[in-house]
Amino acid sequence: MIRISAKAIAVIGCCLLAIGFTSCNDFLTIYPTDKTIGEDFWKSKEDVKSMVTGAYAGMVSEGVQEKAIVWGGFRSDELVQYMNNTNSDLQNINAVNLLPTNGYNNWGDFYWVINRCNIVLNHIDEVLEVDPAFTQGDRDETRAQMLALRSLCYFYLVRTFRDVPYTTQSYEDDDQEMLVPQTTPDSVLSFCLRDLEEAERYVMRSGAYGVGNWRNKGYFTTDAVRSLMADIYLWRASMTHDAADYQKCVEYADKVIQAKHEYYQSINQGRPSLVEEDIYHLSDGMTMFPMLFVIGNAHESILEWQYNSNNTGIGKYYVNESDNVNHGVLMASKVFTQYEGAANTDQGQMAFHSRNDYRFWQSVYDANNGEAINGLDVRKMVDTSFGIVQNPGSGSGSSKEKPSRVSRTNRNWIVYRLTDVMLMKAEALVQLAGEDGDDENLKRAFHLVQKVNKRSMYRLATDTLQQSSFRSKEQMEFLVLAERGRELCFEGKRWYDLMRYCYRHMQGIDIRTKMADRTEWPALYDGMLKLVIRKYVNGGDAVSYKMKSEPFLYWPVQEREIKVNKLLRQNPVFIQEETTVKR
């Protein structure tokens, strides 16, 4: 069982931001700080604000940031471990040995935030009764914020572990015991969507905090809630092949796109525009990276975790200049070294299709170096200069070089941005389409992909995407997947994109049944495994050999969690003996 001391609940937002976070060792473990919640707490609006700030501050902890990178990126084809790094947990992940003792399968950081949300949700009505300054509107907006943040945390957990404990109870007393069994994805995602429907009604509309206010992107707004809902519907549809959920994804994506358009128009009335004048208002490719990944809270962003000081996750995994190593713990895989069609490369094996794509040069250092098969340093979210490449097609420009990298970074972490939502919509439209190449949904999907792709291409390039090359549903599905890989690389998205791709080509998925309740599981889609294998320099036989069925897509439950909470059941591709072995 888990006992959570009353002092554990003491973490107030300002204290958290000042002293940082300690990763949680056990399910819902929270560590004591210098202030406790007792009978004198929950008396004022300020008490609520400090707890809400604390909940959001939990998302900027190193534990959450590193999970976003390792869970969402490293397991995919886009990242590899730096060859001289000796982290055994990463080595095991790379070898597809996801042991229950691996440190990266710790879900405690997310349950810490979930518990903080539950505490606020279970106490805000007390403040409503005693503080006239805390109005019904304040109560509803606060509740909406916590429902949305909790839903995002559960969504991370479902995508990473599948069957997870779900609770709305807060744990804040020494005598409370934490014994909660796992819940199926169908139930958890349904709870999240129900909560998000309420949150959508009461969170602040995007931009309502005032021009330039960080909370427009740092807190959940209507755009952020709708982006999360589109993401959840897309995920669930990929597992169940339900057209109604794909349609819901399109519906919520459209709401986000339209709202962003209206807001941009409202704040730019009478001003000359620096971006393309259409409904999307995307930055041009030459300046996209400085605007998105150097300047925080860019106009394309929807939700960003706010870093006022060092983002230790990015600093460790993408930079890591300690001991004069000058390489991040993780590096971009060989699929980023060259572009399709370059000399001595296999067609279809590279992430980028053209050297005229600004992102090809801006995402990694030393792009177009086909000899760097062991990986290239990540540039996205790292470089402070982002020297602009005037003509990427020439192969020259400062972005090809590797300037001195920063040892500390205060980059925000982008959770959702407009092009992400546009490509979610494109992905859903493809699945709603028929097999006819002239299907209207395929045309609409191509239009979205082309908008994202073309803004990143050199303006005089002739090798932009052509609709005639993507006539079938299968071709369009892969195009959307590839474009998401180009646009969102190193942002913690790729593994989940590959999982959706895999699920759409699998049969026999049952999201209403726990994995541990079945003895046979659906086989994985070979096409997804071939993509994962791309990053392995010496071949990916271990991937094909070990990753056979659905449970292999997910992490095992950490061994110590099983020992503490006897209601938990292990991912069935693992068994527990004196030593842990894989079936």
Side-chain angles (χ1 to χ4, degrees), residues 4-38:
I4 303 176
S5 70
K7 289 184 178 180
I9 311 305
V11 192
I12 304 306
C14 57
C15 299
L16 289 172
L17 293 172
I19 66 176
F21 290 82
T22 305
S23 295
C24 305
N25 287 325
D26 295 311
F27 178 27
L28 290 180
T29 299
I30 306 174
Y31 292 93
T33 61
D34 60 349
K35 187 173 182 179
T36 61
I37 296 174

Side-chain angles (χ1 to χ4, degrees), residues 43-113:
K43 299 296 185 183
S44 71
K45 183 176 181 177
E46 292 304 312
D47 290 341
V48 176
K49 288 177 61 178
S50 65
M51 291 296 289
V52 169
T53 302
Y56 275 103
M59 299 306 289
V60 302
S61 68
E62 181 178 350
V64 167
Q65 183 67 86
E66 74 175 6
K67 302 303 189 308
I69 293 172
V70 174
W71 291 355
F74 181 56
R75 287 199 67 190
S76 74
D77 55 342
E78 71 178 14
L79 288 168
V80 295
Q81 186 176 6
Y82 173 52
M83 60 187 302
N84 292 333
N85 182 269
T86 58
N87 184 315
S88 61
D89 282 342
L90 291 175
Q91 290 171 347
N92 276 316
I93 296 169
N94 195 58
V96 203
N97 294 324
L98 300 185
L99 304 176
T101 52
N102 193 299
Y104 290 100
N105 66 343
N106 181 353
W107 58 25
D109 299 286
F110 285 91
Y111 277 111
W112 190 98
V113 178

Side-chain angles (χ1 to χ4, degrees), residues 307 309-312 314-315 319 381-382 406-411:
Y307 283 87
S309 58
N310 187 26
N311 183 332
T312 53
I314 290 177
V319 182
M381 296 174 282
V382 172
V406 294
S407 59
R408 292 176 60 83
T409 173
N410 61 353
R411 303 287 190 280

Side-chain angles (χ1 to χ4, degrees), residues 456-475:
S456 298
M457 296 289 288
Y458 178 52
R459 66 183 182 276
L460 299 180
T462 58
D463 54 350
T464 56
L465 300 177
Q466 302 296 324
Q467 189 166 1
S468 58
S469 300
F470 305 96
R471 299 285 295 169
S472 71
K473 182 174 181 177
E474 180 182 9
Q475 289 172 326

Side-chain angles (χ1 to χ4, degrees), residues 223 255-267 277-281 418:
D223 283 354
K255 288 182 178 181
V256 174
I257 293 168
Q258 183 62 30
K260 290 283 283 184
H261 173 51
E262 292 174 358
Y263 176 68
Y264 190 79
Q265 284 184 315
S266 70
I267 64 174
E277 284 293 352
D278 63 9
I279 192 173
Y280 307 110
H281 305 282
L418 183 57

Side-chain angles (χ1 to χ4, degrees), residues 266-294:
S266 70
I267 64 174
N268 285 278
Q269 289 182 356
R271 300 179 187 176
S273 177
L274 298 179
V275 296
E276 184 180 353
E277 284 293 352
D278 63 9
I279 192 173
Y280 307 110
H281 305 282
L282 301 180
S283 306
D284 66 275
M286 187 166 63
T287 60
M288 175 185 68
F289 271 57
M291 292 181 71
L292 279 175
F293 302 110
V294 174

Side-chain angles (χ1 to χ4, degrees), residues 525-540:
Y525 174 50
D526 184 61
M528 179 263 203
L529 298 180
K530 288 180 179 178
L531 290 174
V532 177
I533 288 170
R534 297 190 306 168
K535 75 175 183 179
Y536 293 91
V537 175
N538 298 318

